[in-house]
Amino acid sequence: IADHVGFVLRDEPGHSVTVFHNRAAGLPEGQRIEDIMKEALGVLRGNGIEDERVDFVVKSSRDPAELILKEARQGQYAAVAVGRSAGKPASLGALFGSVSQTLLRKLEGAALWISK
């Protein structure tokens, strides 16, 4: 999703990017939050996003959708971009995971970008 965000916002210097991570979601084996944030920053840089336009937020909740909704309300973001991990879509439920479905239903005041 960082690649998509960087591509869309590279020629929009008035917009910043907040890379958000839910610590409670866990990490792939052997990775640290710092590694994931560094990788996202590298992808954004590769799309021409300057470091000054990027912020990092790490919070923790067992309810990731509600955590994202709360952050979106507080940060007054123009868009919320999330990746998804669902497999090959056979139905709407398979296309969008539970977090994406919740955001699709409840997110107000911001565009929702979902990418695999």
Side-chain angles (χ1 to χ4, degrees), residues 14-42:
H15 291 281
S16 61
V17 176
T18 300
V19 179
F20 183 79
H21 179 75
N22 178 12
R23 182 188 329 254
L27 298 169
E29 182 70 32
Q31 285 199 333
R32 302 174 310 139
I33 291 173
E34 294 82 2
D35 299 332
I36 291 170
M37 297 297 193
K38 186 176 179 180
E39 182 179 349
L41 179 60

Side-chain angles (χ1 to χ4, degrees), residues 1-113:
I1 194 68
D3 185 49
H4 181 71
V5 170
F7 176 80
V8 171
L9 296 181
R10 68 180 172 202
D11 295 325
E12 298 293 336
H15 291 281
S16 61
V17 176
T18 300
V19 179
F20 183 79
H21 179 75
N22 178 12
R23 182 188 329 254
L27 298 169
E29 182 70 32
Q31 285 199 333
R32 302 174 310 139
I33 291 173
E34 294 82 2
D35 299 332
I36 291 170
M37 297 297 193
K38 186 176 179 180
E39 182 179 349
L41 179 60
V43 170
L44 292 167
R45 283 177 178 159
N47 279 288
I49 304 292
E50 302 84 8
D51 290 9
E52 298 79 30
R53 292 174 57 193
V54 182
D55 293 308
F56 299 92
V57 175
V58 177
K59 295 187 179 179
S60 185
S61 173
R62 290 180 176 254
D63 188 342
E66 287 302 322
L67 182 65
I68 293 167
L69 290 166
K70 182 178 179 183
E71 179 67 23
R73 282 190 300 272
Q74 290 176 345
Q76 298 181 340
Y77 300 111
V80 173
V82 295
R84 65 177 184 86
S85 58
K88 199 172 191 179
S91 68
L92 188 61
L95 178 60
F96 300 115
S98 62
V99 172
S100 298
Q101 285 185 54
T102 300
L103 294 175
L104 193 59
R105 287 188 199 112
K106 293 185 176 182
L107 183 65
E108 295 179 359
L112 178 61
W113 300 349

